[in-house]
């Protein structure tokens, strides 16, 4: 019989961060040992944030256009690099 948490067990042994659900605090906590793998405990592989970059380009005052990558943009225009983490804007950089 396959263990209920075998996928998470394998990930933990391979060095991937795993979490368990703490009913007392109602939050996911990182665990550091194999003793947490009881059948009635909720465990998971810690989700990784999705990071995405976009470029916003200003051609002339009042107009704009976005590009999926920096290589498509002519060097004479002003551009901004927008960095999103889980669809939330985290950082804006001016690209010269």
């Amino acid at each position: 019989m396959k263990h209920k948490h075998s996928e998470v067990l394998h990930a933990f042994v391979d060095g991937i961060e795993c979490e368990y659900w703490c009913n007392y605090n109602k939050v996911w906590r990182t665990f550091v040992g194999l003793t947490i793998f009881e059948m009635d405990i909720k465990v998971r592989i810690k989700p990784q944030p999705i990071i995405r970059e976009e470029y916003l380009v200003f051609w002339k005052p009042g107009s704009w256009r976005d590009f999926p990558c920096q290589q498509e943009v002519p060097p004479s225009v002003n551009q901004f690099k927008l960095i999103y983490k889980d669809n939330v804007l985290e950082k804006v950089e001016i690209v010269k």
Side-chain angles (χ1 to χ4, degrees):
M1 180 175 146
K2 190 174 182 180
H3 192 278
K4 177 181 175 181
H5 305 303
S6 63
E7 181 182 342
V8 180
L9 276 164
H10 285 286
F12 180 75
V13 170
D14 289 341
I16 298 172
E17 276 190 279
C18 299
E19 299 176 321
Y20 69 94
W21 180 251
C22 177
N23 281 326
Y24 180 74
N25 294 331
K26 306 293 186 215
V27 294
W28 288 100
R29 296 194 175 248
T30 303
F31 58 85
V32 293
L34 291 174
T35 57
I36 202 69
F37 287 104
E38 298 172 12
M39 294 301 267
D40 59 340
I41 301 289
K42 289 188 215 173
V43 295
R44 69 176 185 181
I45 297 171
K46 184 175 182 178
Q48 298 299 312
I50 299 170
I51 298 174
R52 144 179 87 89
E53 296 179 355
E54 291 181 0
Y55 293 89
L56 183 64
V57 179
F58 289 88
W59 292 97
K60 49 188 158 178
S63 67
W64 61 273
R65 183 172 173 195
D66 59 344
F67 291 90
C69 69
Q70 186 179 4
Q71 286 76 22
E72 298 177 10
V73 181
S76 61
V77 298
N78 297 324
Q79 56 182 317
F80 298 89
K81 180 179 177 182
L82 309 174
I83 301 172
Y84 294 90
K85 183 177 178 182
D86 292 331
N87 289 327
V88 175
L89 182 63
E90 290 283 319
K91 188 176 180 183
V92 177
E93 297 175 0
I94 298 173
V95 181
K96 297 285 179 182

